[in-house]
Amino acid sequence: MGQIEWAMWANEQALASGLILLIGGVVGVAGQFRDWEFAAYGVAAGVFVILLEYPRGKRRKGTTMERPGQWFLAAVVKLFGPLTRNYYVRAILHACLAVPGGFILPTVLGTVNLGIASLIYLLAAFRKEEWRPIQAAQTQKGHVGKSIHQPPTNPPPRPPAEHRRKQMDDGRTGAIEVTATP
Amino acid sequence: MLGSALAWSRASAMCLNFNCLLILLPVSRNLISLLRGSCNYCRSNIRKQLDKNIRFHQIVAYMIILHTVIHVIAHLFNIERYHASYSPVAKDLLIRLSSIGKNSSENYLNPIRTYDTNPVKELLSSAAGVTGIIITVAFVLMVTSSTWVIVKSFYEVFWFTHHLFIIFFIGLIIHGSGRIVRGQTRQSLQEHNVTYCKDHYEEWGDIPECPLPQFAGNEPVTWKWVLGPVFLYICERLIRYYRSLQKVVITKVIVHPSRVLELQMKKQGFKMKAGQYIFLHCPSISRYEWHPFTLTSASEEDHFSIHMRAMGDWTSALYEACGAHLRGFREAWKMPRVAVDGPFGTACIDVFYYEVSVLIATGIGVTPFASVLKSIWYKYNQPATTMKVERVYFYWICRDTHSFEWFADLLQSLEVQLMERGRSRFLSYHIFLTAWDEYQATHIALHYEENKDVITGLKQKTFYGRPDWNKEFKRIADDHPGANIGVFFCGPNDLSHVLHTMCNLYSSANPQGVQFHYNKENM
């Protein structure tokens, strides 16, 4: 399993746990269960985890699919720099957030799932993975050689386009040989 | 005591039973093959529904998610209300009901026996509670590792985590064994007049209308629902294990550019049709993984072959195990032992039954058509077989032919052979490269007048950009008036819709005129 980026799975698991914690908290508060204050905490913690985990980080290899509308949250998460970039911090954060949910029943599921997400993040951190924001589509690298749309710089008679390009980049061998006929 | 929450939890439990029954069936692929084989007389459209088995599995999983949420929330309310029935502010009927059974433990109604506890402790002390938590957590893990990102990129995580379903089903069957949900027994209901007695709860046991009510726990029923599919699935895994023991010989390994490996294999009793796929297993690389590959050989050949691109962990390991990264000859006994399960999938044999067939593929969707084209070629060369198809149009749209050079080679050899027979009009193919830049464009423009195409080396020129389907369909319709034309497509859904629309548009209103029949093939 050498190529697996655990952070991808940890991210999905943490997002789901945040949602479960939120739903459990809502149930506890709405039903006015005993000790419903813990449920209110569950709502707040759940929302926080969802906001933190929604922007998907950039994968090391290949293109990353963004979640719809994540650019805004990604900008906010990027602001915190090393706190959000480092997965050890995230693992400990999730572990701490999970603990108070274990005291009342509606949030117990959220606790267990967030705990598991924290463990997977710990594994990701051991493997030196990091959260990086997905950049906007990179601008295309300039072509090797000028585009044919640009007007020529030398007066006629001019050799054909390939020859001009060959003259520009001397180190590179062209794919085809064209004899220049003025 | 519980209000409507009991009804919600019982109803969702029943739905969960049914859905858990259904979810195992679509993944028993040998069972599905059996079903498909037995309904050979049905139209292929019906058989093709069986190809959507994974989609069905996913939809049932979504329903399980929904019902689990309802079930868990309802039980949260149940436990809370059971507990609250002891509290000083509870209604007296509830306290009376809860206090039944202090003396003899079989007759209590409220599973929480005292007030001096909290719901979490109660949950963890009951079989239903503990199994409930375990299976829900297992289920959440299965769902989060099955998202599109993880399945596409980290298949092994998905595969191994999904095996938590074993824990899921065991826990599910045990879940009801504690008989924690209790109700009044039928006999007691006959003796105990409920409507009258609920207002006279202080007199239970003293007056003749209201003898003390008897309660008993509900029987667990889940095992009745899931036993059948679990048994079928165990059979399925046993079949796969048996298949993994059958001998498969790799007869030839061909290394193509861009890390594509062609494996030609032989197995006793293996019969395939064009367009099917197999699962490949290599115990020396991974003991439990089976990976799907479309078959690229024709059924008339004496071997079967797959083309595999070395991209992930498993495929790269197989690439190296076959010695593809080394140069030189490799003895047959050095080849890794492999096992094959299959073939699965609906064959696209309908290609042979139309007078004119139009095959359209995008990118990797070309793989099943390799098998189809080879099959057409073999059938064409045997004068004995009568093949209805007289003309084949092949459209291939891809970003670039990188990693598909092997297919370009196949087309080239077909082109050469057809020209030798003087039948070059039988197959006409059009390749469209959609990823091109200006440098390539100038290169191509310079060599436009030459005989062979510069990129593929084929006689028929490669086109750049996307095809104008209106023009293509109009041309085909004009060339073959009055014919039944089959259009076969393998690729993404949006193009599928476009093509389907085109087929409908260019089929003439006159039933004797040209008719386009659209078929979408699976990969």
Side-chain angles (χ1 to χ4, degrees):
Chain A
M1 296 213 208
Q3 298 180 12
I4 303 223
E5 285 181 51
W6 295 101
M8 287 289 127
W9 183 28
N11 175 267
E12 303 280 338
Q13 175 71 12
L15 191 63
S17 316
L19 194 61
I20 296 174
L21 195 56
L22 175 65
I23 296 178
V26 165
V27 165
V29 169
Q32 285 289 298
F33 288 9
R34 208 170 68 147
D35 294 333
W36 61 270
E37 293 84 1
F38 284 106
Y41 162 81
V43 172
V47 170
F48 175 69
V49 167
I50 290 178
L51 289 177
L52 176 65
E53 296 291 339
Y54 189 71
R56 200 176 265 147
K58 193 168 178 354
R59 284 169 55 176
R60 268 190 261 180
K61 265 175 48 172
T63 49
T64 320
M65 283 286 300
E66 283 194 345
R67 293 205 176 99
Q70 79 166 46
W71 58 271
F72 179 66
L73 285 169
V76 174
V77 171
K78 200 166 68 160
L79 277 178
F80 285 91
L83 274 183
T84 44
R85 199 171 48 229
N86 189 324
Y87 283 145
Y88 281 112
V89 171
R90 275 206 203 192
I92 299 175
L93 177 70
H94 286 320
C96 296
L97 283 176
V99 166
F103 286 105
I104 63 163
L105 196 54
T107 45
V108 161
L109 267 178
T111 297
V112 177
N113 282 304
L114 200 54
I116 295 180
S118 156
L119 286 174
I120 309 177
Y121 264 128
L122 201 62
L123 182 57
F126 273 144
R127 303 209 15 184
K128 300 195 173 29
E129 295 175 20
E130 279 191 341
W131 188 89
R132 273 182 306 272
I134 305 175
Q135 307 291 357
Q138 291 180 344
T139 50
Q140 254 200 335
K141 289 191 285 226
H143 279 297
V144 187
K146 281 213 178 111
S147 153
I148 56 170
H149 286 330
Q150 282 191 0
T153 45
N154 47 344
R158 288 185 284 267
E162 265 88 26
H163 218 78
R164 241 180 292 149
R165 214 169 284 131
K166 262 169 77 172
Q167 283 167 355
M168 301 263 179
D169 325 302
D170 282 328
R172 197 181 59 85
T173 49
I176 34 164
E177 300 290 317
V178 176
T179 52
T181 49
Chain B
M1 263 195 274
L2 298 176
S4 64
L6 181 67
W8 283 98
S9 63
R10 300 303 300 150
S12 55
M14 264 314 130
C15 294
L16 277 173
N17 282 336
F18 182 56
N19 282 314
C20 292
L21 180 160
L22 285 181
I23 199 151
L24 276 180
L25 296 177
V27 281
S28 308
R29 51 182 189 239
N30 283 296
L31 170 70
I32 293 180
S33 284
L34 196 70
L35 272 178
R36 191 185 287 117
S38 63
C39 63
N40 246 333
Y41 307 106
C42 305
R43 293 179 50 201
S44 66
N45 282 339
I46 300 179
R47 264 183 283 138
K48 284 222 185 87
Q49 297 311 314
L50 293 171
D51 286 340
K52 301 201 171 92
N53 55 343
I54 299 294
R55 187 75 194 125
F56 184 60
H57 182 81
Q58 288 172 339
I59 293 180
V60 175
Y62 287 135
M63 291 308 292
I64 293 186
I65 295 179
L66 175 68
H67 288 300
T68 305
V69 170
I70 298 177
H71 187 78
V72 168
I73 293 182
H75 273 314
L76 288 176
F77 277 101
N78 285 342
I79 297 190
E80 185 70 17
R81 286 178 183 171
Y82 269 144
H83 186 234
S85 300
Y86 283 105
S87 82
V89 301
K91 281 181 12 198
D92 296 321
L93 175 62
L94 305 179
I95 297 189
R96 180 74 182 94
L97 280 171
S98 308
S99 66
I100 292 179
K102 273 210 177 78
N103 304 324
S104 52
S105 59
E106 303 91 62
N107 270 318
Y108 62 86
L109 176 63
N110 190 336
I112 300 184
R113 301 308 312 143
T114 91
Y115 190 54
D116 185 24
T117 175
N118 69 39
V120 183
K121 236 177 11 178
E122 282 301 318
L123 181 92
L124 293 174
S125 60
S126 67
V130 173
T131 49
I133 287 237
I134 291 179
I135 62 182
T136 314
V137 171
F139 185 65
V140 169
L141 282 173
M142 277 199 276
V143 167
T144 56
S145 61
S146 321
T147 55
W148 182 239
V149 172
I150 309 273
V151 172
K152 277 291 283 206
S153 322
F154 313 117
Y155 190 79
E156 287 95 355
V157 169
F158 156 71
W159 180 245
F160 287 115
T161 319
H162 231 66
H163 280 74
L164 283 171
F165 75 86
I166 302 174
I167 300 182
F168 181 79
F169 273 94
I170 295 178
L172 192 66
I173 296 178
I174 304 178
H175 190 60
S177 63
R179 294 179 172 78
I180 197 171
V181 178
R182 305 177 69 90
Q184 203 161 351
T185 60
R186 202 169 294 175
Q187 190 194 13
S188 171
L189 275 171
Q190 284 172 345
E191 296 167 7
H192 183 108
N193 185 340
V194 181
T195 32
Y196 175 72
C197 296
K198 76 173 182 347
D199 297 320
H200 295 81
Y201 45 82
E202 280 148 28
E203 296 154 27
W204 286 349
D206 302 326
I207 54 178
E209 293 94 345
C210 305
L212 217 53
Q214 309 291 322
F215 302 104
N218 288 336
E219 294 286 318
V221 295
T222 308
W223 64 272
K224 294 183 201 164
W225 289 84
V226 299
L227 201 62
V230 165
F231 174 70
L232 284 174
Y233 190 72
I234 293 179
C235 288
E236 158 80 24
R237 293 303 282 250
L238 285 174
I239 291 178
R240 286 189 207 175
Y241 179 67
Y242 171 64
R243 289 254 176 99
S244 74
L245 297 175
Q246 287 176 326
K247 207 160 151 56
V248 173
V249 175
I250 299 183
T251 54
K252 206 176 191 183
V253 174
I254 304 174
V255 180
H256 291 279
S258 318
R259 287 175 67 86
V260 171
L261 197 67
E262 178 180 345
L263 283 177
Q264 293 186 1
M265 296 171 273
K266 282 199 194 188
K267 181 176 164 190
Q268 197 181 24
F270 186 84
K271 287 192 188 29
M272 59 159 282
K273 300 200 188 88
Q276 292 189 305
Y277 62 95
I278 55 163
F279 278 80
L280 201 64
H281 171 65
C282 188
S284 56
I285 299 177
S286 169
R287 277 186 63 192
Y288 301 109
E289 292 178 37
W290 293 75
H291 290 254
F293 294 99
T294 313
L295 287 164
T296 48
S297 59
S299 47
E300 289 84 357
E301 292 175 324
D302 59 353
H303 61 269
F304 61 95
S305 72
I306 57 158
H307 282 71
M308 174 196 88
R309 184 149 175 232
M311 273 185 70
D313 280 343
W314 190 86
T315 40
S316 303
L318 188 60
Y319 189 79
E320 279 163 32
C322 294
H325 56 297
L326 309 164
R327 290 188 173 278
F329 182 70
R330 228 170 126 81
E331 287 88 354
W333 51 266
K334 279 201 187 144
M335 289 294 146
R337 190 168 75 88
V338 291
V340 161
D341 194 12
F344 300 109
T346 308
C348 43
I349 48 175
D350 293 341
V351 179
F352 308 118
Y353 299 135
Y354 290 95
E355 295 159 18
V356 177
S357 285
V358 179
L359 311 176
I360 304 168
T362 56
I364 196 170
V366 81
T367 335
F369 288 127
S371 165
V372 171
L373 281 177
K374 281 193 202 170
S375 208
I376 289 183
W377 171 245
Y378 277 107
K379 283 192 165 49
Y380 195 63
N381 284 337
Q382 288 172 7
T385 48
T386 48
M387 191 170 56
K388 248 183 112 173
V389 61
E390 291 167 357
R391 190 72 204 273
V392 175
Y393 293 87
F394 181 64
Y395 290 85
W396 184 20
I397 303 131
C398 52
R399 290 185 49 80
D400 46 40
T401 51
H402 177 65
S403 82
F404 293 114
E405 292 87 348
W406 61 270
F407 193 76
D409 285 343
L410 168 68
L411 280 183
Q412 191 172 24
S413 68
L414 273 181
E415 177 186 49
V416 163
Q417 289 174 24
L418 278 171
M419 266 191 1
E420 283 171 6
R421 311 274 170 126
R423 305 266 185 90
S424 47
R425 273 192 52 82
F426 176 69
L427 171 69
S428 73
Y429 49 86
H430 313 268
I431 305 178
F432 290 82
L433 299 183
T434 54
W436 53 276
D437 55 16
E438 284 176 24
Y439 181 57
Q440 268 189 322
T442 48
H443 183 189
I444 289 152
L446 276 174
H447 291 262
Y448 192 63
E449 297 304 317
E450 288 191 16
N451 215 358
K452 278 188 192 250
D453 184 86
V454 286
I455 305 283
T456 52
L458 296 165
K459 277 254 178 307
Q460 295 190 19
K461 292 286 164 50
T462 319
F463 296 89
Y464 298 92
R466 297 207 158 77
D468 180 356
W469 292 115
N470 276 306
K471 217 169 64 166
E472 303 292 336
F473 271 81
K474 190 164 185 342
R475 193 157 50 99
I476 298 175
D478 290 340
D479 284 343
H480 302 274
N484 270 333
I485 305 183
V487 176
F488 298 86
F489 172 66
C490 186
N493 279 334
D494 26 7
L495 186 51
S496 176
H497 288 144
V498 168
L499 289 171
H500 205 157
T501 320
M502 288 288 146
C503 285
N504 293 339
L505 201 59
Y506 283 94
S507 297
S508 81
N510 179 4
Q512 306 303 95
V514 64
Q515 296 293 322
F516 284 93
H517 300 268
Y518 183 70
N519 297 280
K520 184 170 190 298
E521 303 300 327
N522 279 358
M523 285 200 278

